[in-house]
Amino acid sequence: MTAAPLGASPTAPCRTYDELVARVRDGALGPDPRSRRIAVAFTTRQAVRHDGRGTGYHNEVLSLRLAGAVGSCAVEPGELPDSALDECVGADVAQLLDHPVPAVRVAALDAYLMHITPHTPDHGALPVALPAGSSLEKSRARAEAVVELLDLAAGSRVLVVGVVNSLLEALRSRGLRYVPCDLKGGTTEWGEPVVGDALAAAGSCDALLVSGMTLGNGTFEPLREHALRHGKQLVMFAQTGSAVLPRFLGHGVSAVCAEPYPFFWLDGGPGVVHRYRSSGAPAGGAR
């Protein structure tokens, strides 16, 4: 696909993920990616079991530091090769966009885009403060910020890709039904079955609420195309690719709740997430 011409707006929306990568490779959005090198690569791993919850989970995230920016991509725990960090440090962004590990490619793209277009109001981001508190309190506050981006009548059905119990609670509190989906399957905290095939379940849902992790596992583009083809809202909640996903606003993505590193679960202090909407979308509730 032909990239946008040099001098294109660095925040110009893209029709597909491949188009975005092509624009970055060609230097169409900012500095030549061959001239920008990753200084620090690190992983963040956690095990979680909130008070009052019967189940827990694990997270692992690869993060790459480019100047003052950090780009991230979540991976399944234990999936990232031990050699990945050493291969990233000192490499330029262009090299890493061709790395064999998908998480490295996504984190490098995220770092580059965060470097040239950080989450600021002049780039379309509206900050939402998260209060200090326990891990569960902060999880619920983030969930409210995410779910407010949906504009749906009570009784509507939402496909939730990437099961987060606080998001399911927030949907129920608004009278919304949901279909939980995760590649691992299983059940939710409340014993509800989790489906494994998001695209198969999307047809029966009125809107999609999707984790940025889909960038790393290759399921984002089919879901974006489904939302675009059927005129459905697609709201992304993004620790993975927080600077990547706003590029698809108006091209299948209706809104993004972007959460760059450091994530809400890393400490008990106040935090912030950044919300984006496609033009013409309703403003939603303020916090």
Side-chain angles (χ1 to χ4, degrees):
M1 180 175 292
T2 302
L6 292 176
S9 167
T11 57
C14 292
R15 291 169 293 176
T16 68
Y17 184 82
D18 287 345
E19 178 186 329
L20 176 58
V21 173
R23 288 186 184 184
V24 170
R25 278 202 182 100
D26 289 353
L29 301 181
D32 185 339
R34 294 171 296 183
S35 70
R36 295 297 185 267
R37 295 185 179 275
I38 298 300
V40 179
F42 60 98
T43 58
T44 308
R45 301 179 68 186
Q46 69 154 350
V48 183
R49 186 163 177 174
H50 296 304
D51 286 344
R53 292 267 172 85
T55 58
Y57 57 91
H58 293 80
N59 282 331
E60 183 171 352
V61 182
L62 169 68
S63 297
L64 304 180
R65 179 75 177 265
L66 175 62
V70 176
S72 298
C73 183
V75 296
E76 291 299 326
E79 182 181 85
L80 192 70
D82 292 338
S83 60
L85 295 185
D86 289 336
E87 291 168 357
C88 291
V89 173
D92 64 58
V93 171
Q95 289 175 295
L96 296 183
L97 290 176
D98 290 322
H99 195 278
V101 176
V104 171
R105 299 196 297 269
V106 173
L109 180 64
D110 193 35
Y112 179 88
L113 294 173
M114 189 82 70
H115 175 56
I116 64 171
T117 49
H119 297 302
T120 56
D122 57 320
H123 294 140
L126 295 177
V128 178
L130 300 184
S134 69
S135 60
L136 182 55
E137 289 168 339
K138 293 189 74 175
S139 177
R140 284 172 167 160
R142 184 192 72 147
E144 289 295 323
V146 172
V147 171
E148 283 176 352
L149 290 168
L150 288 165
D151 180 31
L152 295 169
S156 299
R157 184 188 298 270
V158 181
L159 176 66
V160 182
V161 181
V163 174
V164 178
N165 288 320
S166 293
L167 286 177
L168 304 185
E169 284 182 330
L171 291 169
R172 283 204 305 270
S173 74
R174 285 166 169 72
L176 297 171
R177 299 176 295 159
Y178 55 78
V179 176
C181 179
D182 196 286
L183 289 174
K184 296 186 294 291
T187 59
T188 69
E189 172 75 14
W190 303 277
E192 302 153 323
V194 175
V195 303
D197 188 334
L199 199 58
S204 66
C205 295
D206 302 300
L208 288 67
L209 185 61
V210 177
S211 166
M213 284 187 70
T214 54
L215 285 171
N217 63 29
T219 59
F220 167 70
E221 274 292 285
L223 292 170
R224 183 194 63 79
E225 290 171 357
H226 173 89
L228 185 61
R229 185 166 57 251
H230 296 282
K232 296 179 181 179
Q233 294 175 58
L234 169 56
V235 172
M236 304 295 305
F237 56 100
Q239 294 177 344
T240 291
S242 75
V244 175
L245 290 162
R247 304 299 178 126
F248 305 105
L249 291 167
H251 292 280
V253 174
S254 54
V256 179
C257 185
E259 185 182 359
Y261 195 93
F263 311 127
F264 79 87
W265 36 267
L266 284 167
D267 68 67
V272 63
V273 294
H274 307 272
R275 297 197 297 196
Y276 296 78
R277 294 179 182 273
S278 61
S279 59
R287 289 180 55 80

